Amino acid sequence: MKSAAFLLAGLLMAAPTQALAQTVTVGTATPGSLFHSAGTAVASVVNEKAGMRAMLQPFASANVYIPAVNEGDIDLGVGTAHEIGAALVGAEHFEGRPQEGLRAVGTMFPLRFGIFVRADSDIETLADLRGRTLPGGYSSQQIAATMMDAIYTSAGLTVDDVETVTVANTVAGADDFATGRVDAFFFALGAAKVSEVDAAVGGLRVLPFKNTEEELEAVRQFLPQAYFREEQPGPANPGIEEPMMALAIDAVAFASASTSDDVIYAVTKALHENKDALVASFPAFRGFEPDSMARPLDPIEYHPGALRYFEEIGIADDE
């Protein structure tokens, strides 16, 4: 909360006086997580480029702030296409609680994720996780449990094949890894927390996928929208030692159906026109393709304000 307060103070000091008339709230996950960094980048661009005042509202994870967006208590958030779709129809951890007030603003970037171990670990493959200790439970970030199930299945494992230490979210799991409580941890590639843990333990390594049709078919039992994506070594990818395949699923900016069309039009326009500013705030936006913002996200519908902008610039999907 303290880091969010400092960011908000900075955003407000940087904002033009006339921008203070309209306030937009942006839900984020725990500081250090990928969706905190992504939400911060969106808030920064909204504040600086859309002529509005952006306020960050941190939560434990997306599955906590998704209902807040649905109810109109929060205007915007960033989450996975899978989780937003499940929430909309009331599936998985939203079973019996359909969040019908969710609308898409645009596809943002590939959320790349995997399992991290120490660079000198004897765990070389995902199958080597059998019998090891990993974070589990993810009581306040249940999409992480679904993603872990997908990863285990890709290696012919289930959660019953490992020992688990119950955690609230992926940040807590990374902290347990840094203290030696678990042998590996799950996280998004390129997140601030990964860099922190990498420095704390003297180096990380991501366990690779084989990139076979059988492996992807297994993954898609849990994450139908997932795909493999080649990752390259570099400062923005701690844990990647050589070109390798990681799993990815699209991150999506989403909004409340009750947020005005004019506000979402202005937000969508600002995001589409300011990739460089998004990247400067959070490097994961290097994967952002502005002219692909409007690609179909069934069952998620786009907010009318976003559709108006997409139609205006000629990138709206006919369907």
Side-chain angles (χ1 to χ4, degrees):
M1 289 295 290
K2 184 181 293 184
S3 64
F6 284 135
L7 172 70
L8 175 57
L11 291 178
L12 295 183
M13 285 189 292
T17 302
Q18 65 269 25
L20 300 180
Q22 175 67 52
T23 299
V24 176
T25 50
V26 181
T28 76
T30 305
S33 68
L34 180 138
F35 284 131
H36 183 270
S37 299
T40 299
V42 168
S44 178
V45 166
V46 169
N47 186 77
E48 296 172 6
K49 307 294 185 180
M52 291 181 283
R53 176 190 181 193
M55 294 183 64
L56 293 178
Q57 179 66 60
F59 292 83
S61 69
N63 70 266
V64 183
Y65 60 79
I66 282 174
V69 174
N70 175 68
E71 293 296 327
D73 298 328
I74 302 293
D75 294 301
L76 297 168
V78 183
T80 68
H82 177 82
E83 187 168 26
I84 300 164
L88 183 72
V89 300
E92 298 183 16
H93 47 282
F94 291 97
E95 182 72 36
R97 298 183 296 125
Q99 308 291 301
E100 297 175 348
L102 301 177
R103 298 292 183 270
V105 173
T107 302
M108 295 287 96
F109 56 83
L111 168 61
R112 309 155 302 137
F113 56 95
I115 302 290
F116 292 82
V117 298
R118 290 174 184 263
D120 59 358
S121 172
D122 62 350
I123 302 173
E124 299 290 340
T125 70
L126 291 169
D128 291 341
L129 293 172
R130 186 184 299 273
R132 303 298 185 124
T133 304
L134 284 88
Y138 299 105
S139 56
S140 66
Q141 191 179 1
Q142 290 161 329
I143 184 65
T146 301
M147 290 175 162
M148 285 296 292
D149 285 339
I151 292 173
Y152 288 140
T153 300
S154 75
L157 305 175
T158 72
V159 68
D160 294 332
D161 292 313
V162 303
E163 299 294 326
T164 58
V165 172
T166 300
V167 296
N169 53 39
T170 54
V171 171
D175 287 337
D176 279 353
F177 175 84
T179 61
R181 194 178 181 199
V182 296
D183 300 316
F185 72 102
F186 165 79
F187 221 92
L189 275 64
K193 191 66 178 181
V194 172
S195 296
E196 176 189 316
V197 176
D198 182 62
V201 304
L204 294 172
R205 178 163 43 83
V206 179
L207 300 180
F209 290 89
K210 296 175 183 178
N211 190 27
T212 64
E213 289 185 11
E214 294 78 12
E215 194 177 40
L216 186 58
E217 183 177 344
V219 165
R220 285 181 169 172
Q221 293 178 47
F222 294 92
L223 297 171
Q225 305 94 334
Y227 52 94
F228 287 120
R229 171 188 164 98
E230 186 171 83
E231 297 297 331
Q232 302 294 329
N237 266 345
I240 304 292
E241 299 179 326
E242 59 186 12
M244 59 165 287
M245 302 305 294
L247 264 180
I249 193 167
D250 288 331
V252 174
F254 63 101
S256 170
S258 64
T259 301
S260 82
D261 293 1
D262 289 344
V263 166
I264 297 304
Y265 173 92
V267 167
T268 308
K269 184 175 190 293
L271 294 174
H272 181 266
E273 294 180 349
N274 290 283
K275 176 177 178 175
D276 288 348
L278 290 166
V279 172
S281 179
F282 184 39
F285 278 96
R286 291 193 184 102
F288 176 44
E289 299 176 3
D291 287 344
S292 296
M293 281 181 73
R295 57 176 172 260
L297 292 170
D298 185 63
I300 312 165
E301 296 179 6
Y302 279 94
H303 194 288
L307 280 176
R308 189 196 341 152
Y309 178 72
F310 295 149
E311 290 166 358
E312 184 178 289
I313 63 171
I315 67 168
D317 188 272
D318 289 340
E319 297 180 5

